[in-house]
Amino acid sequence: MEVGIVGLPNVGKSTLFNSLSNACAAASNYPYCTIEPNVAVVEVKDERLERLAEIVKPEVVTHPTLRFVDIAGLAKGASKGEGLGNLFLSHIRGVDAVVHVLRCFEDKAVVHLEGDVDPIRDLEIVETELVLSDIEILDRRISKLEKVARTGDQHAKKQLEFLRGIRDDLNQGKKYQASDDLDPELNGLLNEINLLSSKPSLIVANIGDDPRDEKTRAHIEACETAAHERGTICIPISARLESELADIEDDEASDLRKEMGFEGTALDRFVRACYDLLKVITFFTIKGRETRGWTVKDGTCIRDAAGKIHTDMREKFISADVVSFEDFIQAGSMSVAKERGLVRTEGKHYIVKDGDIVLVRFGK
């Protein structure tokens, strides 16, 4: 999975990036501190994978990963060149989800370009800039298609009508969402354009050191309301505190988080939110020298899941042996699980379940 971190300058994006990745991205008190995008890949620890490894004893244990990209802050009017403009958005067009970091802390020492702390105003500014960037991309593609369509090309005419409709929706403030039965040609075009405003998004309310502060609580509640209205998730995180806790012993850091009302690290809560947002599940493979966790969208068929392991497995798929994590742990080995009839042979249309342990059979 890959997520892009967006927000206005000086809202704590780079500090959040550091707290999630333990990286050393610049995080200073001046606008546009981040020029080049910061990129980090973190392991998504899964206790089930560790338990499997205890039984299977593989040479290598590979956890799923989460990749996130922190780009330069967007200013109001970025589409017209304000601040550093919106060219940095190209770095996150391919991400699976967009993370809006909203400033919910009061600190006179940290300047705010808009003059005061108002997370919902900031959210609306960034959302507008994402839409305007999408319209800019659509305008360029539409201009090219218009030239081809004038030659009588039917595919160009079909795509042109489709993209004009999306642009009209965006200009009217409507978020475009592709339907499940969208024509494959148009779906491919949509995937190529990668509309930022249509991607799943979640909100991180970046709070100060005290979540019980009256102003902080009001900001968090406003962010939670905004998230609910958008059908998404809001997670409060003190990016500054989490960055500081990275250098403290785990037990002491855990106690400090509990005092603030947080269960688990920022990374744990962030990953859970991303999984919930993207409706992602994990399946496992245990054959050979590597025991590994793989992430797929909930509802993925076994043939497509096999393609995550290797493209040949999808193209030459025959069947798959499947056992649930719970049944495997109870049995203690794959051979015992088979003896007890816990291992099922599934065809290509089987829908993978969270925790499935999978052995794919494929042709040569």
Side-chain angles (χ1 to χ4, degrees):
M1 293 189 300
E2 184 174 24
V3 298
I5 300 175
V6 299
L8 297 184
N10 275 13
V11 297
K13 295 188 297 84
S14 296
T15 305
L16 174 68
F17 178 92
N18 288 343
S19 69
L20 295 176
S21 66
N22 287 329
C24 296
S28 302
N29 176 24
Y30 57 90
Y32 313 116
C33 180
T34 303
I35 302 299
E36 293 299 320
N38 297 310
V39 180
V41 179
V42 296
E43 283 190 334
V44 178
K45 296 295 185 180
D46 192 319
E47 291 181 1
R48 295 174 299 181
L49 194 60
E50 300 294 345
R51 292 186 66 187
L52 290 176
E54 290 173 3
I55 295 173
V56 180
K57 300 188 180 347
E59 295 178 34
V60 179
V61 178
T62 304
H63 289 266
T65 58
L66 175 65
R67 184 176 189 267
F68 40 91
V69 183
D70 168 35
I71 64 170
L74 289 169
K76 185 176 183 179
S79 59
K80 297 179 181 178
E82 292 296 324
L84 293 176
N86 64 6
L87 292 178
F88 296 98
L89 290 176
S90 63
H91 294 297
I92 61 168
R93 283 210 170 266
V95 301
D96 299 299
V98 172
V99 177
H100 290 275
V101 180
L102 303 181
R103 178 170 168 175
C104 295
F105 63 89
E106 304 279 348
D107 188 340
K108 293 180 180 178
V110 180
V111 297
H112 194 300
L113 287 190
E114 296 299 315
D116 61 346
V117 176
D118 184 341
I120 306 309
R121 175 205 58 209
D122 295 354
L123 174 62
E124 291 171 350
I125 288 174
V126 173
E127 287 177 331
T128 298
E129 293 304 326
L130 296 185
V131 168
L132 292 175
S133 175
D134 284 345
I135 291 173
E136 187 179 314
I137 296 289
L138 288 168
D139 282 342
R140 289 203 294 266
R141 181 57 68 93
I142 286 170
S143 179
K144 291 179 181 178
L145 285 171
E146 285 174 339
K147 295 176 183 177
V148 180
R150 282 196 288 269
T151 68
D153 186 295
Q154 295 303 311
H155 288 289
K157 288 181 178 180
K158 177 181 177 181
Q159 293 179 9
L160 184 59
E161 181 182 1
F162 176 62
L163 294 186
R164 282 174 172 167
I166 295 176
R167 186 177 62 182
D168 288 344
D169 283 347
L170 294 182
N171 277 320
Q172 294 171 24
K174 300 176 184 176
K175 183 178 178 179
Y176 178 79
Q177 292 289 2
S179 60
D180 293 334
D181 58 351
L182 183 64
D183 181 294
E185 177 187 346
L186 299 180
N187 191 55
L189 177 63
L190 199 59
N191 290 335
E192 184 182 339
I193 292 174
N194 257 325
L195 295 173
L196 285 169
S197 59
S198 292
K199 291 183 182 295
S201 63
L202 64 84
I203 291 172
V204 169
N206 186 18
I207 66 174
D209 297 336
D210 184 4
R212 293 156 296 195
D213 173 77
E214 186 176 342
K215 285 187 177 180
T216 299
R217 280 304 319 161
H219 290 322
I220 292 174
E221 289 172 6
C223 289
E224 289 173 340
T225 299
H228 179 73
E229 291 171 351
R230 289 160 175 77
T232 188
I233 305 163
C234 171
I235 48 173
I237 291 177
S238 176
R240 182 171 61 186
L241 177 68
E242 287 290 342
S243 189
E244 293 170 354
L245 291 179
D247 299 323
I248 298 177
E249 292 292 331
D250 289 346
D251 289 344
E252 184 181 351
S254 178
D255 290 340
L256 288 171
R257 289 189 185 96
K258 287 179 180 178
E259 286 180 16
M260 293 185 67
F262 295 140
E263 288 295 331
T265 67
L267 179 60
D268 289 340
R269 291 184 289 119
F270 185 82
V271 168
R272 284 199 302 270
C274 288
Y275 269 54
D276 290 343
L277 175 71
L278 294 172
K279 297 179 174 60
V280 167
I281 63 169
T282 304
F283 73 94
F284 306 104
T285 53
I286 61 174
K287 186 175 175 59
R289 63 186 292 273
E290 181 185 45
T291 292
R292 181 165 181 168
W294 305 83
T295 53
V296 293
K297 287 289 187 75
D298 193 7
T300 299
C301 69
I302 188 66
R303 184 167 177 247
D304 289 341
K308 290 274 289 186
I309 304 170
H310 197 287
T311 53
D312 281 354
M313 288 189 174
R314 184 187 187 284
E315 299 305 319
K316 302 173 183 178
F317 181 88
I318 297 173
S319 64
D321 288 345
V322 181
V323 59
S324 72
F325 169 80
E326 291 79 9
D327 285 345
F328 181 87
I329 293 297
Q330 187 178 31
S333 70
M334 185 62 82
S335 59
V336 174
K338 287 181 178 178
E339 289 173 5
R340 295 180 180 177
L342 300 174
V343 180
R344 311 178 308 278
T345 299
E346 301 288 358
K348 64 181 181 180
H349 297 301
Y350 170 74
I351 301 301
V352 178
K353 307 292 191 302
D354 185 53
D356 275 352
I357 299 168
V358 173
L359 172 62
V360 178
R361 303 185 187 282
F362 62 107
K364 296 182 179 179

